[in-house]
Amino acid sequence: MPTRTTDLIPINAESSVPTPDASTADYARSISRRIHALTLFILLAALIGFSLFAMQAFETRMAPEIGKKSATIGRILAAQIERAVGYGIPFAKLVGMGPFLASVFPDNPEVAYLLVADATGAILYAAGPGAAEGQAALAGSSAAMPHPEDAIPIRSVGTFYDTALIIKRGDNRIGALHIGVRQSFVRGQLAEIIYDVLTVLVVALLVAFEMVAVLVALRVARPMARAERLLERLRCGDFRYDGNGSKGDEVGRFTAALAAVTRRVNERYWRLVQEAEEIKAGQIDPGIVARIEAAMSRLNARFSFPAPGASLISLREPSLASVRGPLFLFVLAEELSRSFMPLYIHQLYAANPMVIPGLSEDVIIGLPIALFMLCIAVTTPIAGQWADRWGTRRLFIAALLPGLVGAIGTALAGSVLDLLWFRSLSAIGYAMATIACQGYIAQTAPAGGRARAMAVFIGSIMLAAICGAAIGGVLADRIGYRATFLIGAGMIPLAAALLLALLDEPERLTKSAPNADGQSGWRAFRALLGNPRFVALMLGSAIPAKMILTGFLFFLAPLYLRHLGYETATGGRVMMSYFVLMILLGPLAARWADRSNRHRSFVILGGVLSGTGVFSVLYWNDLWAVLAGVTALGLGQALLTAPTLALIPEISARECQRFGQATVLGALRVIERIGSVAGPLLAAWVLGQFGYAGSAASSGVIVIAGSVLLGLVLLALGDGRRTATARGLP
Amino acid sequence: MSMALLRAIRWSRLATALFTLAMFVTAATLALPTYAEPPTKTYRILMVLWRGEEDAVQGFRDYFATQRIPVEFILRNAAGDLAKLPGLAQEAKAIRPDLVVTWGTSVTLALLGPHNAADPSPYLPAAGIPGVFMIVSQPVESGIVPSLASSGRNITGTAYLVPEETQLRAARSYFNFDKIGIVYNDREDNARLSVEALRALAPTLGYTLIERPLPLDRKGNPRPDQIEPLVAEIAASGAQLLYQPPDSFLNVNRDRLTQAALARGLPTLAAGENPVRNSYALMGIINRYYTVGQLTAYKARQILVDGLDPKEIPIEAPKRFSFMVNLPIALQLGRYPPMNLLKFAEIIENNADARRP
C-alpha cells in the first residue's frame, strides 16, 4: 500500500529540522547555574541562621559553665586555706601562697588570676598572669566580697569573668577567693566553634555544588543528550534505537514516548513488509512485482529497521559527570585523614614503639606517608595497563577491595607496622581508582574537550582535598582518628555503588597510543635523562616542589601545629588554604602564563615563592607562621604547576616528537614522585636533628636553591626551543 | 587438590582452636587453686621486743590479720634490759618457731648475731630458725648484715631511718636554713654516724654545722644538765635549726632538749617520731613505726608463705616517708607551715604531752 509508505515520509520531513549541538549543553549549564545560585542561597541562609542561633545559645551557656569550673577549682583552694586558718595560722600570714596558688595554672590555662581578699576587700594574695589587671578591675568594682546567697557567684569584672568564693573561719566570713577567666578566652573558645561551623558550611556548600553538578548532568543533561541522539537517529531514518528513557522525568517520558513511536513504526513496517509479500505472491504481473520490490528497496535504503523480532538497541550515553561523584567520594575518603595522618602515626608509635635500627622516631613517623606516595608511584603505570585490559569500570570496582581493606585496617591498626601494610593497600586502591577515572574521562571526552574534561578531573580531586582536609580535622577532634578513618572507609563502597548506578562503560577505544608500551617508555626515559634542560627542570623544580608539598604540608605542618597546641581542626583548615589557593589561582596563573608566554619565569618564580613562606617558622612559633608557609606554598605551586606542563614541550621538543607528549608527561609524573617519597623522610630526618624550624626551613632552602639552579642552567643553556627547532627539525 | 588444601586449612584452624582451648583450661586449672585455697598451715612467729608492744608490732600483726594468714604470735619482752637477752635466745631455741622477729639493734645482735661472728652457733640462724629484724637504725654499720642488698644468711629485715639528705631537703620545703646545730651523745654509734652524715652533706646542701657533743660525767655517762647550756650556745651562734639525731640518750631527755630550743626560738628537726609526737620538736621527716611494721610483716610473709630464701630479700625502708609537723610548736614559734606542705604533712594538733609545762 503506497499510502502507508508515504505516511512515513512526513515524519522524516518534519524531523529534518537541524538541531545545534551546543543547545543541550547550554541548557544544562543555565539550569545548573540557576540551581547553584538557589542552593547557595538556601544553604547559606539556613547555615547562617543556624550558626547565629547556635552561637547565641552557646554564649548564654558558656558563662555559667566557666563559673562552675572556676568554682570547682576554687572550692579545693578555699578548703585548704580554711584548713590552714583553722589550724590557727593567721589569715594574713599564710606562708607559701604564691607557689600554692601557682600550682593551679599549668592544668587550668583558662584561669587568668587567683586573688585572695580579706573581709574588707583588700587583696592579701595574688597569683596568675592577669593578677595585676584583675586586681585593678576588682578594686574598681564593688565585687570584692561576694554575697553568700549567690549559688555560683560569677560576674563580669573588667575584661574577666570573676567567680568569688567565701572563705570562712568557723562561722565567720574572713575573706574571699576570686578566680578570674579572661572573657577573650571564652571568645576564643567560641571562635574555635565558629570556625568549625564555617568549615562545615563551606564543605557542605562545596559538596552540594558537586552533587548539583552531578545531578544536573545525570538527570537533565544526560537524558536530554540521549533524547537528542535518538531524535538524530530518527531524523536519519534509523528506527533501531531505544533512548532508555526513565518514567521519572519529562525528558525520560519524552524519550520513552519516542521509543513507543519507534516500536509502532517498526510494527507497521513489518506489517508493510508482510503485506508487500502477500501482494507480491498474489501478483502475476512482473511489472507490479518489480515496482513493489523497487519501492521496498527504496524504503530500506532510506530507513533502517531492526531485524524481525529483535528488540531495540539501548542508546548509551557515557557522561563525564557520572564519574565525578564516585571519584569525589573515593578521593574524599582518602583526604579525610590528610590533616592528621602524622598525628595518628605518632599516636600509634607512642602506644607501640617500633624500633628499626638506624631510624629515628621522626623518620618512622614519616615512613607510612612516604610509603603511601611510593605505592601510588609504582601502582599508577601498572593500573594504566589494567585499565586498558579490563576497562575503567571494572578497574574502579576492583579498586574498592584494596581501598576498603586499607581504610578499615588503618582505622584498626595497632602499630606503625600494621599501618605500613594498610596504607600501602590504600595507596594501591587510590591509584587504581584515580587511573580508572582518568581513563574513563580520556575515553568519553569529545576530542576537542579533552583538556576541559581533565580540568573536571583535577577539579574534583582538588575539591575533595579541600573538603577532606577541612572536615577531616573537625571530625578527628570530635569523634577521634579511628572513627574518622571508618567514615572514610564507609565512603568507598558508596563511591562504588554510585559508580555502578551511573556509569555506562564507554565503547572501548581501539588501541591507546602506540608509544605506550614499556620499551619505548624506557627509551623515552633514557633520552630525557640525556636532556640537560629536562633534568634541570626535574631536579630544580619538579622534585623539590613535591618534596616541600609532602614534607612540609603533609608531614610537618600537622605535627608542628599539634606541637604548638592547636587542634586538628585548625590544622585541617590551614591545610585547606593550600588547596583553595591551588584551585582558585591555578587556572588563573595558567592563563596568565600562556598569555605572557613566559613559562620559565613562572616556574622559577613559583619555586622561589613556594619556599619563602616556610622561613617565617624560624621567627615566630605560631599558627600564623605555618599559615604563611602554607599560603606561600599554595601561591608558588599554583604559579608553577601548569607552566611546568607547558614548559615540557618547549624544552624537550625532540623527545616529545619521538615518543609523544603523553609519554614525556608520564615520565615527568614518575620522576616528580621521587620528591613525594623523599619529602616526608627528609623532613622527618631534619626534624630529628634540628627541630621543627630547621625542618621547615630546610624544605624551603631546597625549593629555592633548586629554582635558582634551574634558572641558572636555563640561562646558561639558552632557549631550548630554538636550538631544538634549528637542529632537530627537517 | 584445592579441596585437599581447603581441608588442610580447616584442620589446621581446628587444631589451633583446640590447642588454644587446651592452653586456657590448663592455665585455669593452674591458676585457680591459689585463689581458692588460702594457706591452711598456722605459722608460729616469735617476736622478741625491747620495750614492749608499740606501733611497729601493731603494724606487723595487722598485716597478717588483713592478709588472712593464720599465725600464732609468741611475744617476749626484754623491757630494755640487756641482761635478759641471752636467756631469751636460749628460750627461742627451745620454742623453735617458724620465724623469729627482733625489735631494735640490741635484741637483733643478741638473737641473730653479727654477720661476721667467729662462732655463729649461739645465734638462731645457725639453729635453722630464720629471722626478720626491724627498727634497727644502722643494719650495716652495726654489723648485722654485710650490705642492704643481702644478709648472706637466713635473715632479712627492714631499715626505718630516713636518710639525712632526704630529711634536710624535705625540711627546706618548710623553711630555709644555712646553719644547723647538733647536740649528741658521742658514746652512741647511731648519733656519731648521724653527725658524720651531716658533716658530709654540708658542702652539697650548703650549710654550716655546729657540733656540740655532750660532756661526760666521771662514770663516762653523758651529763643531762649540760643540754641547756649547749643548746644556748648553738642558738647564740645564729643556727636556724637544731637537729636531734637518733640518739637513745637524747630520746630519753627529749623534753629537756626540745624545750631548751623552743625557749630560745630555735626549731628542732628530729630524726625520730617521739620528739615530734610527744615532745617539743617542730618537725620530723620519719618513717612511721606502723608502716615499718607492715613492711617487715611483708618480708616475713615472703619467707613463710612464698618460700623465698631470706638472703634473697633485700633490706629496705618504706618508700614514702611522713612529714610530721607539731602544730602548737609551729604556732608558738611563728613558723607557719607553707600551704603546699600542709597538703601532705601529718599535722599533730593536740599534743597532750607537749602541752605539759
Side-chain angles (χ1 to χ4, degrees):
Chain A
M1 298 260 190
T3 43
R4 283 192 187 156
T5 324
T6 46
D7 272 353
L8 293 169
I9 293 168
I11 298 175
N12 193 6
E14 270 173 23
S15 68
S16 67
V17 181
T19 45
D21 279 331
S23 68
T24 342
D26 284 344
Y27 180 55
R29 212 172 299 146
S30 89
I31 287 189
S32 151
R33 208 171 292 147
R34 261 180 251 168
I35 294 181
H36 270 159
L38 194 65
T39 322
L40 182 67
F41 175 73
I42 293 173
L43 267 175
L44 270 179
L47 280 167
I48 288 172
F50 169 75
S51 311
L52 283 176
F53 174 74
M55 274 175 235
Q56 240 162 15
F58 186 78
E59 197 156 17
T60 51
R61 298 228 178 125
M62 192 74 177
E65 281 305 316
I66 290 278
K68 262 186 223 163
K69 195 179 173 206
S70 297
T72 310
I73 298 168
R75 258 179 227 120
I76 297 167
L77 295 176
Q80 279 167 325
I81 293 173
E82 283 175 357
R83 182 166 158 244
V85 174
Y87 283 142
I89 303 172
F91 187 40
K93 287 189 179 172
L94 294 172
V95 181
M97 281 296 278
F100 169 68
L101 295 177
S103 62
V104 167
F105 301 112
D107 293 331
N108 302 283
E110 78 276 12
V111 177
Y113 65 72
L114 290 165
L115 301 170
V116 179
D118 66 10
T120 64
I123 303 294
L124 296 177
Y125 311 99
E133 217 180 313
Q135 206 168 333
L138 212 60
S141 76
S142 58
M145 264 317 268
H147 302 292
E149 57 271 16
D150 293 355
I152 298 166
I154 181 161
R155 268 163 309 183
S156 184
V157 174
T159 56
F160 300 93
Y161 287 121
D162 181 272
T163 307
L165 296 169
I166 294 166
I167 298 172
K168 291 181 180 177
R169 177 168 38 210
D171 289 332
N172 299 328
R173 294 165 60 194
I174 54 167
L177 170 68
H178 294 269
I179 303 107
V181 175
R182 270 185 205 286
Q183 292 179 358
S184 60
F185 174 84
V186 180
R187 294 213 189 92
Q189 295 279 81
L190 261 176
E192 200 53 41
I193 290 192
I194 293 169
Y195 289 146
D196 275 6
V197 169
L198 278 178
T199 306
V200 172
L201 187 141
V202 168
V203 170
L205 267 182
L206 290 175
V207 172
F209 282 167
E210 189 65 15
M211 288 303 134
V212 164
V214 170
L215 280 178
V216 166
L218 295 178
R219 287 271 157 227
V220 180
R222 185 157 75 161
M224 284 177 75
R226 269 205 205 117
E228 192 187 341
R229 271 179 69 187
L230 187 60
L231 281 172
E232 178 63 21
R233 300 271 157 132
L234 292 175
R235 189 175 69 84
C236 300
D238 193 342
F239 294 96
R240 290 174 302 170
Y241 292 94
D242 182 352
N244 281 340
S246 71
K247 292 272 181 282
D249 56 87
E250 282 77 2
V251 184
R253 281 202 285 277
F254 170 68
T255 321
L258 276 181
V261 169
T262 312
R263 266 187 216 100
R264 246 188 0 254
V265 170
N266 284 332
E267 264 169 45
R268 289 198 190 168
Y269 167 73
W270 282 111
R271 229 181 294 151
L272 177 71
V273 170
Q274 233 174 342
E275 272 178 44
E277 288 302 317
E278 279 168 21
I279 294 168
K280 252 181 0 187
Q283 289 294 335
I284 17 174
D285 184 352
I288 295 173
V289 173
R291 268 182 62 201
I292 291 172
E293 276 180 358
M296 288 309 287
S297 73
R298 248 190 293 133
L299 192 64
N300 279 331
R302 195 144 176 164
F303 303 105
S304 313
F305 298 100
S311 53
L312 295 175
I313 303 166
S314 288
L315 257 186
R316 280 177 163 188
E317 186 61 48
S319 161
L320 275 179
S322 58
V323 82
R324 272 175 77 170
L327 177 66
F328 176 79
L329 276 179
F330 204 104
V331 177
L332 182 63
E334 177 51 45
E335 294 287 343
L336 272 185
S337 63
R338 180 71 82 202
S339 59
F340 61 82
M341 183 49 83
L343 303 176
Y344 182 62
I345 304 167
H346 185 259
Q347 183 184 310
L348 282 183
Y349 182 86
N352 198 352
M354 182 171 81
V355 180
I356 299 177
L359 293 188
S360 69
E361 178 188 335
D362 299 306
V363 174
I364 289 177
I365 289 169
L367 213 52
I369 301 175
L371 183 68
F372 184 82
M373 296 295 170
L374 182 69
C375 284
I376 289 190
V378 171
T379 315
T380 302
I382 306 171
Q385 290 172 14
W386 289 341
D388 289 342
R389 201 174 309 156
W390 302 340
T392 52
R393 191 174 142 119
R394 250 184 279 170
L395 182 62
F396 196 103
I397 299 300
L400 179 68
L401 189 70
L404 196 59
V405 172
I408 294 175
T410 305
L412 304 177
S415 68
V416 180
L417 189 67
D418 295 352
L419 202 65
L420 286 173
W421 289 114
F422 291 120
R423 290 298 290 162
S424 308
L425 281 178
S426 284
I428 291 168
Y430 183 85
M432 283 164 75
T434 45
I435 286 298
C437 292
Q438 210 173 341
Y440 180 84
I441 289 168
Q443 285 167 14
T444 24
R450 187 75 49 93
R452 241 184 81 191
M454 275 303 166
V456 167
F457 173 76
I458 303 287
S460 207
I461 288 184
M462 280 297 184
L463 204 61
I466 292 175
C467 296
I471 205 89
V474 175
L475 278 176
D477 276 342
R478 309 270 156 194
I479 62 173
Y481 299 144
R482 289 179 193 273
T484 310
F485 279 116
L486 285 179
I487 288 183
M491 283 179 183
I492 293 173
L494 206 65
L498 203 61
L499 185 101
L500 281 179
L502 299 179
L503 197 69
D504 288 343
E505 179 82 44
E507 289 102 63
R508 203 74 62 79
L509 288 182
T510 44
K511 189 74 193 114
S512 42
N515 280 337
D517 61 293
Q519 273 295 318
S520 91
W522 272 114
R523 271 188 285 131
F525 234 96
R526 275 214 301 278
L528 283 167
L529 290 184
N531 179 342
R533 291 184 190 82
F534 183 84
V535 172
L537 181 67
M538 291 302 104
L539 292 180
S541 175
I543 294 178
K546 288 289 172 199
M547 279 177 82
I548 191 174
L549 180 68
T550 57
F552 174 72
L553 187 67
F554 294 170
F555 172 78
L556 198 66
L559 284 177
Y560 185 52
L561 286 172
R562 168 52 54 91
H563 171 75
L564 293 176
Y566 288 99
E567 293 185 356
T568 317
T570 312
R573 282 191 280 275
V574 168
M575 206 174 258
M576 178 180 86
S577 63
Y578 166 82
F579 294 110
V580 170
L581 282 171
M582 283 294 283
I583 208 170
L584 290 182
L585 295 183
L588 272 177
R591 226 173 294 156
W592 192 17
D594 280 341
R595 208 172 299 153
S596 65
N597 200 21
R598 306 189 70 130
H599 294 128
R600 279 149 221 260
S601 316
F602 270 82
V603 170
I604 291 161
L605 195 74
V608 172
L609 185 61
S610 61
T612 48
V614 293
F615 290 106
S616 57
V617 175
L618 287 176
Y619 298 102
W620 313 315
N621 268 326
D622 201 359
L623 170 70
W624 301 107
V626 182
L627 192 64
V630 173
T631 309
L633 181 64
L635 284 174
Q637 300 250 344
L639 280 186
L640 70 79
T641 303
T644 301
L645 296 181
L647 198 56
I648 290 286
E650 277 183 35
I651 63 169
S652 50
R654 265 198 301 173
E655 289 83 357
C656 283
Q657 235 173 16
R658 256 176 78 194
F659 305 104
Q661 196 169 319
T663 310
V664 175
L665 286 178
L668 163 77
R669 293 265 172 260
V670 171
I671 293 171
E672 70 178 4
R673 288 207 168 96
I674 296 172
S676 301
V677 175
L681 294 179
L682 189 72
W685 184 77
V686 183
L687 172 62
Q689 303 289 318
F690 304 104
Y692 288 107
S695 184
S698 75
S699 63
V701 166
I702 289 173
V703 177
I704 293 176
S707 297
V708 171
L709 195 78
L710 173 67
L712 290 177
V713 169
L714 288 181
L715 266 182
L717 292 177
D719 195 334
R721 200 171 9 174
R722 243 167 271 145
T723 45
T725 332
R727 256 189 266 143
L729 289 182
Chain B
M1 172 72 185
S2 69
M3 275 307 287
L5 193 67
L6 208 64
R7 221 170 288 143
I9 290 169
R10 273 196 202 138
W11 268 114
S12 72
R13 245 190 229 165
L14 190 65
T16 316
L18 281 175
F19 179 72
T20 316
L21 190 68
M23 290 303 288
F24 266 116
V25 170
T26 317
T29 44
L30 283 176
L32 277 175
T34 47
Y35 292 108
E37 291 170 35
T40 44
K41 189 187 170 203
T42 300
Y43 300 104
R44 293 169 76 228
I45 297 179
L46 172 67
M47 299 184 84
V48 183
L49 311 176
W50 180 243
R51 40 171 214 239
E53 281 194 68
E54 40 58 79
D55 279 357
V57 177
Q58 197 57 48
F60 190 95
R61 301 177 77 148
D62 286 356
Y63 178 86
F64 279 94
T66 51
Q67 293 284 313
R68 294 173 189 279
I69 300 168
V71 278
E72 182 198 337
F73 288 109
I74 307 159
L75 267 67
R76 293 293 180 270
N77 187 5
D81 188 354
L82 282 168
K84 281 190 183 169
L85 290 172
L88 286 172
Q90 284 306 315
E91 193 189 348
K93 281 187 188 170
I95 294 171
R96 283 213 70 81
D98 293 314
L99 181 82
V100 64
V101 177
T102 57
W103 194 104
T105 310
S106 309
V107 176
T108 307
L109 275 172
L111 270 76
L112 305 180
H115 70 93
N116 51 2
D119 176 20
S121 60
Y123 306 116
L124 299 183
I129 301 168
V132 177
F133 60 81
M134 60 182 178
I135 319 295
V136 171
S137 316
Q138 312 277 357
V140 177
E141 287 80 354
S142 52
I144 296 164
V145 292
S147 80
L148 294 179
S150 169
S151 68
R153 49 201 186 124
N154 63 343
I155 67 168
T156 186
T158 51
Y160 79 103
L161 286 184
V162 176
E164 280 81 0
E165 182 171 0
T166 313
Q167 290 183 47
L168 293 178
R169 283 188 192 280
R172 279 204 168 145
S173 72
Y174 196 155
F175 56 86
N176 208 356
F177 45 80
D178 54 23
K179 210 173 235 185
I180 306 175
I182 183 167
V183 177
Y184 66 103
N185 176 10
D186 199 26
R187 280 310 178 78
E188 285 190 45
D189 289 348
N190 286 342
R192 243 190 356 256
L193 289 167
S194 185
V195 172
E196 276 165 26
L198 288 191
R199 231 179 261 156
L201 284 167
T204 35
L205 293 185
Y207 58 80
T208 47
L209 188 66
I210 305 160
E211 301 170 29
R212 291 289 181 270
L214 279 163
L216 307 177
D217 62 13
R218 251 167 278 141
K219 283 188 217 156
N221 290 324
R223 290 169 54 186
D225 61 311
Q226 286 301 303
I227 291 175
E228 282 91 354
L230 291 182
V231 170
E233 270 180 47
I234 286 169
S237 71
Q240 302 106 331
L241 187 69
L242 178 71
Y243 185 72
Q244 182 181 350
D247 177 320
S248 298
F249 176 78
L250 285 178
N251 188 33
V252 174
N253 293 291
R254 56 181 180 260
D255 284 359
R256 256 184 125 148
L257 179 78
T258 53
Q259 263 182 326
L262 180 63
R264 287 164 183 82
L266 186 62
T268 305
L269 166 65
E273 192 172 339
N274 246 330
V276 189
R277 199 177 279 287
N278 302 319
S279 192
Y280 303 88
L282 173 66
M283 60 176 151
I285 291 104
I286 48 109
N287 284 310
R288 295 185 57 196
Y289 275 26
Y290 188 85
T291 321
V292 174
Q294 288 201 308
L295 180 65
T296 313
Y298 169 67
K299 298 204 179 272
R301 174 224 162 102
Q302 283 185 309
I303 296 169
L304 293 173
V305 182
D306 304 339
L308 260 62
D309 188 341
K311 73 175 129 202
E312 287 170 11
I313 304 171
I315 292 113
E316 295 164 314
K319 296 272 183 279
R320 287 189 56 198
F321 58 77
S322 299
F323 196 127
M324 298 178 73
V325 175
N326 190 340
L327 185 68
I329 304 301
L331 297 178
Q332 204 174 325
L333 286 169
R335 286 271 186 197
Y336 305 123
M339 294 300 291
N340 279 334
L341 176 60
L342 277 178
K343 283 187 204 165
F344 65 88
E346 188 182 334
I347 303 293
I348 297 153
E349 275 189 83
N350 276 318
N351 185 338
D353 289 330
R355 292 280 160 85
R356 209 173 41 192

